[in-house]
Amino acid sequence: MANVAVVGAQWGDEGKGKIVDWLSERADVIVRFQGGHNAGHTLVIDGEVYKLSLLPSGILRPGKLSVIGNGVVLDPWALVAEIGRLCERGVEVSAENLAIAENVPLILPLHQDLDRIREQAAGRAAIGTTGRGIGPAYEDKVGRRSVRLGDLSDDATLESRLDRLLAHHDALRRGLGAAPIDRADLAERLREIAPQVLPYARPVWEDLDARRRAGERILFEGAQGALLDVDFGTYPFVTSSNTLAGMASTGTGMGPGAIQFVLGIVKAYTTRVGAGPFPTELDDEIGRHLAQVGHEKGTVTGRDRRCGWFDAALVRQTCTTSGVRGIALTKLDVLDGLDELKICTGYEIDGRRVDHLPMAAEQQTRVVPIYETIAGWSESTAGARSWADLPGEAVKYVRRIEELIRCPVALLSTSPEREDTILVTDPFAD
Ligand code: IMP
């Protein structure tokens, strides 16, 4: 039986929430392995809309174990608030159905301060982060000065972690003209929150291994998208974690062999929130049409998403770097009614054709997309549940995407409703 990793194959917001929910019903364990509460996964269950930022989507389904792996950065206050919001709506969250890696690094208020101060100071060069402190928290992780969840259980350890962390941050803040950290207040807040989060702390790598040996199905739930990956994304306009499927292994403590199927979530056009290169961006009526019909507003920050044509060169690249075996194509219905559609197949730069986005940031802003034009369709594809329900042109569009990205469609999603899904390959059964 296969374990499945689900990752975004563009700049995030590909519609992972619905697909993860659809798969989580058939999984036993659902694991987040990177990112933090910068994610925004929207799920519609029995007509109720839930927006999750930090908790794995499995939390909404009774009888599943949800796990937050060590690859995540965890804001304990955001966690407690999200749990509180769910409990108010009758969703049960306890140590029975939620486990958090004891070695997960914490996001503290000082990380959010730094995120904000830096973005403000950067002016036009700002990355457009979600302001959640994600980048600064990951910096402290690799800088070996994080406070980790398990550190909250021992006062002496916590104090020595704070020594190291504040020596760094106070120096940084002096340089930025910010007030030093109020250490006593921070320590007090951490002691207060500790009893609310420590009950979930566990060596989750061991739990996951036991579950795998027992033949349970594990779903690894990626956040953001491959083009925001800190190594392979449009650096420096990226998030600070590895968003590729490889992170599912080191971000949980399961060996790479534990993941048999990588499902890439791909939107039928392209969107991006925040700053950075976007070769197929449409600053015209069609771009505004996609934004309006596709409700392209950020779940976490409420910002408008930038919209553009499907970029097959980029998705071919991300399917390769994430080892995607099949894609889930989402929001095809947003293209209904357009006379013709364009697909980017590569780029031109300085008179040369290239079939992938160059690594150099300066070149990324200068590439000119090479488009192929395809006929659109006037009929509605919304709610289609079989290929026969789709207009011929829509099928041609999907088939052309498969050819260009060199990866087959495993699932096709035709509306936010979970039943409106065409299943070609069952990732768990493969
Ligand atoms: P950060 O992750 O808050 O540091 O933001 C870095 C970049 O990643 C910004 O361009 C954000 O808009 C983008 N980003 C972070 N999380 C998401 C997400 O879940 N969906 C889409 N974009 C995201």
Side-chain angles (χ1 to χ4, degrees):
M1 210 175 313
N3 295 323
V4 176
V6 174
V7 289
Q10 291 153 313
W11 275 292
D13 309 312
E14 298 91 353
K16 285 186 288 295
K18 169 183 159 173
I19 307 292
V20 169
D21 172 49
W22 194 84
L23 290 167
S24 70
E25 198 180 22
R26 300 142 90 229
D28 303 296
V29 184
I30 297 90
V31 198
R32 280 276 312 262
F33 56 86
Q34 50 70 230
H37 63 310
N38 50 348
H41 293 175
T42 305
L43 297 98
V44 185
I45 298 181
D46 299 332
E48 292 265 322
V49 179
Y50 297 89
K51 290 182 192 292
L52 298 176
S53 286
L54 185 52
L55 289 165
S57 303
I59 204 75
L60 299 172
R61 301 207 164 269
K64 315 279 178 190
L65 176 68
S66 287
V67 174
I68 296 180
N70 55 281
V72 167
V73 279
L74 181 97
D75 179 326
W77 296 278
L79 175 79
V80 168
E82 192 163 305
I83 292 174
R85 283 193 295 275
L86 289 182
C87 289
E88 275 169 20
R89 295 178 68 181
V91 177
E92 274 186 38
V93 182
S94 72
E96 294 292 303
N97 66 345
L98 176 65
I100 306 180
E102 54 198 357
N103 51 344
V104 76
L106 300 185
I107 300 182
L108 305 178
L110 55 85
H111 294 123
Q112 274 139 19
D113 289 350
L114 196 55
D115 201 349
R116 202 187 50 248
I117 295 170
R118 281 199 187 131
E119 284 284 273
Q120 276 166 3
R124 281 164 54 86
I127 289 166
T129 70
T130 59
R132 301 291 188 270
I134 305 293
Y138 275 115
E139 286 170 36
D140 281 343
K141 170 180 169 166
V142 295
R144 296 167 289 197
R145 52 180 176 263
S146 287
V147 176
R148 306 200 298 180
L149 179 57
D151 297 334
L152 299 182
S153 62
D154 179 68
D155 225 37
T157 309
L158 177 60
E159 289 297 337
S160 80
R161 290 278 181 272
L162 288 178
D163 287 342
R164 216 180 157 97
L165 183 71
L166 297 200
H168 176 81
H169 276 270
D170 279 338
L172 204 57
R173 290 168 74 103
R174 249 194 317 277
L176 292 165
I181 311 287
D182 182 339
R183 179 185 175 133
D185 177 65
L186 176 61
E188 190 47 34
R189 291 187 64 188
L190 285 168
R191 281 190 202 101
E192 260 171 37
I193 200 80
Q196 297 184 66
V197 288
L198 279 173
Y200 305 108
R202 296 194 46 79
V204 299
W205 59 273
E206 214 169 38
D207 298 335
L208 289 168
D209 184 57
R211 299 275 184 150
R212 181 173 73 93
R213 286 172 192 277
E216 294 195 6
R217 292 173 171 188
I218 303 173
L219 178 66
F220 298 87
E221 179 179 1
Q224 290 85 48
L227 295 167
L228 291 169
D229 182 272
V230 67
D231 287 298
F232 285 97
T234 43
Y235 193 90
F237 298 96
V238 292
T239 191
S240 293
S241 65
N242 282 114
T243 55
L244 301 183
M247 185 70 192
S249 171
T250 54
T252 60
M254 296 198 83
I259 303 148
Q260 284 80 39
F261 195 102
V262 177
L263 182 71
I265 315 294
V266 176
K267 199 177 324 201
Y269 49 100
T270 314
T271 62
R272 162 159 219 179
V273 210
F278 181 174
T280 62
E281 182 167 14
L282 288 167
D283 189 16
D284 61 8
E285 266 317 299
I286 297 179
R288 284 186 281 280
H289 172 84
L290 296 176
Q292 195 199 353
V293 180
H295 307 291
E296 297 296 353
K297 247 190 200 318
T299 314
V300 174
T301 57
R303 290 179 289 177
D304 287 335
R305 296 180 187 143
R306 302 153 65 191
C307 296
W309 293 121
F310 187 80
D311 191 333
L314 277 182
V315 176
R316 183 167 61 231
Q317 201 167 319
T318 60
C319 282
T320 305
T321 50
S322 252
V324 171
R325 284 191 47 200
I327 64 162
L329 191 67
T330 64
K331 297 184 103 167
L332 185 66
D333 56 298
V334 174
L335 302 178
D336 293 353
L338 292 175
D339 291 339
E340 56 181 35
L341 305 168
K342 289 188 178 174
I343 301 180
C344 169
T345 59
Y347 314 99
E348 205 179 280
I349 182 158
D350 301 329
R352 276 180 309 119
R353 186 188 164 117
V354 285
D355 63 4
H356 66 272
L357 191 64
M359 185 273 295
E362 174 273 328
Q363 293 189 9
Q364 290 184 349
T365 55
R366 281 197 303 118
V367 292
V368 179
I370 299 170
Y371 286 115
E372 190 173 290
T373 304
I374 284 199
W377 54 90
S378 52
E379 304 91 323
S380 167
T381 60
R385 295 187 185 181
S386 78
W387 290 103
D389 293 339
L390 294 175
E393 283 77 15
V395 176
K396 275 191 206 149
Y397 182 71
V398 176
R399 293 297 181 218
R400 189 63 186 134
I401 285 178
E402 286 181 311
E403 271 170 18
L404 288 168
I405 67 171
R406 300 192 198 123
C407 192
V409 167
L411 295 167
L412 190 70
S413 158
T414 56
S415 95
E417 295 299 324
R418 55 204 316 273
E419 285 73 25
D420 295 339
T421 305
I422 301 173
L423 178 65
V424 182
T425 307
D426 181 348
F428 280 119
D430 207 56

